[in-house]
């Protein structure tokens, strides 16, 4: 009897993988730690299961987020709120008939190889055997706290726990980091909090969602990306950033020090409005905290009541054996692990583009492999190719984002197989 495939995670990547395997007649089970599908888009008020906050809106337009003919309802130039995205995920699960294959409340605590199979153990102690494992948990799943020397006596939380600005009414708030999460928290809290400080260690480039009502993610088309070199598209992106966030630097926003595109570009509409309204002050890195006093690297100090760590995430891959944990140069096509048999990753990438369509292509590629329609090259060839591709990504995007891809060219590579 052939063992089923385990798909870990019922967010967008997991649902797309399940749908692809079902169409390919590959038996599978979808394992989800929470009580429903949706991943990040499954909002919870207590701030423990999802990084979604009450006002969360997607960073890419409905047109770019949609999967082929399965369009997100509404105008294509709109940006979906978390409730709309969750409804989209729920509909995907229903339309593809995935619910009979799901196990909710099944958090994977350990995965190990045993007698040519994968054994997965839940945090409740149940064990199940599978012929292959697909990790569909993405890169932004395990919150990473910033390191602050000293002892802070106020409230601290990661941005993944943030839900509503009312929590910070009449309080002095410090936000660590200014990526998309940091910018959105700052824009949401400013005007409700008594004061908002932002500690910026590594300034990032920033974009608003629209410029003159036009969605900025529409400027980078699939065909244009295949025709134009990344260096040209990088310059276009820099020009759009300068126009859409004009004059923020006059209000104290630190200027980026890296090339645009080497890191995720922060996306926010509320942040620029808050800065222009004079509701935000900028500070360098935190040097030390004592009680509620924060000392910054330039010697200045401030008293704050709460610190929000908008300091990013790591992939939640601790349940995998050490030799099966992915690295940027250990994955063939950034999907199949070269050293661990029958182990795949869907959604373990970042891009300056909507991720769902990329994950859909990865899921289809995995289904082709597991159904036998696509044969993987010999391990030596896979390792050589993975090393070359990782080196190319480092040339294009630097070292900070090891799973960053040029979406159009990467999808073309998957489809060519």
């Amino acid at each position: 009897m052939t063992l089923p495939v385990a798909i870990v995670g019922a967010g967008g990547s997991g649902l797309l993988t399940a749908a692809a395997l079902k169409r390919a007649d590959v038996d599978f089970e979808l394992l989800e730690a929470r009580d429903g599908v949706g991943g990040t888009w499954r909002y919870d008020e207590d701030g423990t299961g999802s990084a979604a906050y009450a006002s969360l809106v997607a960073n890419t337009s409905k047109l770019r987020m949609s999967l082929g003919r399965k369009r997100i309802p509404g105008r294509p130039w709109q940006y979906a709120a978390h409730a709309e995205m969750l409804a989209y995920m729920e509909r995907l699960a229903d339309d593809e008939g995935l619910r009979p294959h799901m196990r909710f409340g099944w958090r994977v605590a350990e995965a190990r190889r045993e007698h040519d199979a994968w054994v997965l153990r839940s945090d409740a102690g149940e064990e199940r055997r599978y012929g292959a494992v697909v990790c569909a948990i993405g890169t932004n799943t395990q919150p990473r706290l910033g390191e602050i020397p000293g002892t802070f006596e106020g409230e601290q939380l990661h941005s993944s726990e943030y839900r509503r600005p009312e929590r910070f009414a009449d309080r002095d708030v410090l936000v660590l980091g200014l990526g998309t999460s940091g910018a959105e928290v700052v824009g949401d809290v400013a005007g409700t909090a008594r004061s908002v400080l932002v500690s910026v260690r590594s300034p990032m480039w920033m974009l608003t969602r629209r410029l003159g009502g036009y969605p900025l993610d529409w400027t980078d088309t699939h065909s244009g990306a295949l025709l134009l070199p990344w260096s040209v598209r990088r310059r276009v992106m820099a020009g759009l950033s300068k126009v859409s966030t004009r004059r923020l630097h006059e209000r104290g926003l630190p200027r980026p020090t890296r090339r645009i595109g080497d890191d995720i570009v922060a996306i926010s509409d509320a942040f620029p409005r808050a800065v222009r309204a004079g509701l935000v002050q900028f500070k360098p890195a935190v040097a030390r905290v004592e009680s509620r006093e924060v000392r910054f690297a330039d010697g200045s100090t401030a008293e704050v009541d709460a610190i929000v760590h908008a300091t990013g995430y790591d992939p939640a891959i601790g349940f995998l054996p050490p030799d099966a944990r992915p690295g940027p140069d250990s994955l063939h096509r950034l999907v199949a692990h070269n050293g661990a048999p029958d182990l795949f990753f869907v959604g373990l990438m970042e891009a300056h583009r909507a991720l769902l369509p990329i994950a859909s292509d990865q899921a289809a590629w995995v289904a082709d492999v597991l159904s036998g329609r696509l044969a993987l090259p010999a391990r030596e060839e896979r390792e050589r190719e993975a090393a070359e591709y990782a080196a190319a990504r480092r040339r294009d995007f630097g070292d900070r984002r090891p799973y960053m891809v040029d979406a159009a060219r990467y999808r073309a590579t998957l489809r060519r197989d």
Side-chain angles (χ1 to χ4, degrees):
M1 178 178 177
T2 303
L3 293 172
V5 176
I7 304 171
V8 182
S13 296
L15 293 174
L16 290 169
T17 303
L21 293 184
K22 189 169 186 291
R23 289 193 291 269
D25 292 323
V26 176
D27 190 21
F28 67 91
E29 288 186 343
L30 185 55
L31 308 176
E32 168 57 42
R34 300 175 66 197
D35 60 357
V37 305
T40 293
W41 302 110
R42 193 168 194 84
Y43 175 81
D44 61 277
E45 189 65 44
D46 60 5
T48 57
S50 164
Y53 45 92
S55 61
L56 175 64
V57 176
N59 292 337
T60 48
S61 65
K62 290 182 176 181
L63 176 64
R64 293 288 188 249
M65 290 276 281
S66 295
L67 299 164
R69 296 181 180 179
K70 293 182 180 293
R71 293 295 178 88
I72 302 171
R75 308 285 187 180
W77 55 83
Q78 293 176 331
Y79 291 74
H82 62 77
E84 293 179 286
M85 286 306 302
L86 177 58
Y88 188 63
M89 299 290 153
E90 298 274 16
R91 192 179 74 191
L92 175 62
D94 290 333
D95 290 350
E96 298 289 345
L98 304 179
R99 295 195 186 275
H101 302 269
M102 297 180 182
R103 289 182 176 272
F104 294 120
W106 217 95
R107 184 181 301 277
V108 180
E110 180 190 22
R112 66 182 187 273
R113 288 287 294 177
E114 188 176 282
H115 304 304
D116 296 325
W118 282 96
V119 178
L120 270 57
R121 177 176 58 83
S122 74
D123 57 1
E126 181 185 357
E127 291 192 347
R128 300 185 65 81
R129 294 173 61 82
Y130 297 97
V133 174
V134 181
C135 295
I137 53 180
T139 60
N140 297 327
T141 44
Q142 183 170 300
R144 182 176 62 241
L145 292 174
E147 296 183 5
I148 304 178
T151 303
F152 182 64
E153 296 181 357
E155 180 185 11
Q156 292 193 71
L157 67 153
H158 191 270
S159 58
S160 63
E161 303 170 77
Y162 172 77
R163 290 297 177 266
R164 299 177 185 274
E166 292 81 7
R167 177 175 183 170
F168 302 100
D170 299 320
R171 301 171 73 190
D172 298 307
V173 179
L174 170 65
V175 177
L176 302 180
L178 196 55
T180 294
S181 296
E184 292 283 67
V185 169
V186 168
D188 213 29
V189 167
T192 299
R194 182 166 48 228
S195 67
V196 179
L197 300 175
V198 187
S199 171
V200 185
R201 183 187 298 271
S202 300
M204 296 177 69
W205 291 81
M206 182 170 292
L207 286 167
T208 52
R209 290 177 175 82
R210 300 181 183 86
L211 187 60
Y214 187 84
L216 287 182
D217 67 335
W218 287 15
T219 61
D220 190 23
T221 64
H222 182 81
S223 56
L226 292 176
L227 292 171
L228 295 175
W230 173 235
S231 58
V232 174
R233 291 157 55 211
R234 190 195 297 271
R235 290 197 293 271
V236 172
M237 193 185 303
L240 292 172
S241 175
K242 291 173 182 177
V243 172
S244 66
T245 60
R246 60 189 178 278
R247 304 187 68 178
L248 294 188
H249 302 298
E250 298 174 13
R251 294 284 189 171
L253 176 67
R255 295 183 181 276
T257 56
R258 295 186 298 276
R259 301 177 302 177
I260 191 168
D262 283 2
D263 213 332
I264 291 294
V265 176
I267 307 291
S268 181
D269 299 321
F271 176 81
R273 291 196 295 266
V275 173
R276 293 184 181 117
L279 300 175
V280 183
Q281 298 180 54
F282 298 95
K283 292 287 186 179
V286 173
R288 189 169 185 81
V289 296
E290 291 293 343
S291 184
R292 298 199 179 208
E293 182 183 81
V294 181
R295 181 173 297 277
F296 298 95
D298 61 358
S300 63
T301 61
E303 294 275 343
V304 300
D305 302 304
I307 298 177
V308 181
H309 294 249
T311 43
Y313 299 81
D314 294 313
I317 53 177
F319 64 88
L320 291 170
D323 61 352
R325 293 170 190 170
D329 57 353
S330 65
L331 300 179
H332 176 62
R333 293 290 193 266
L334 214 57
V335 177
H337 198 293
N338 289 327
D342 299 315
L343 176 62
F344 303 86
F345 297 84
V346 172
L348 190 69
M349 42 65 189
E350 296 180 298
H352 301 294
R353 188 79 68 85
L355 298 183
L356 276 182
I358 309 174
S360 180
D361 285 345
Q362 289 183 326
W365 190 89
V366 170
D368 283 344
V369 172
L370 291 176
S371 65
R373 291 197 295 258
L374 174 65
L376 295 178
R379 177 171 176 175
E380 182 178 335
E381 173 65 18
R382 299 200 309 269
E383 289 177 341
R384 182 193 62 78
E385 183 181 300
E388 291 177 352
Y389 188 44
R393 293 201 309 275
R394 284 192 290 270
R395 287 195 298 270
D396 283 343
F397 305 111
D399 294 323
R400 283 175 56 87
R401 299 284 178 171
Y403 300 107
M404 183 77 79
V405 299
D406 183 334
R409 297 178 188 277
Y410 175 64
R411 295 179 70 188
T413 299
L414 289 174
R415 291 174 176 178
R416 187 167 62 244
D417 281 344

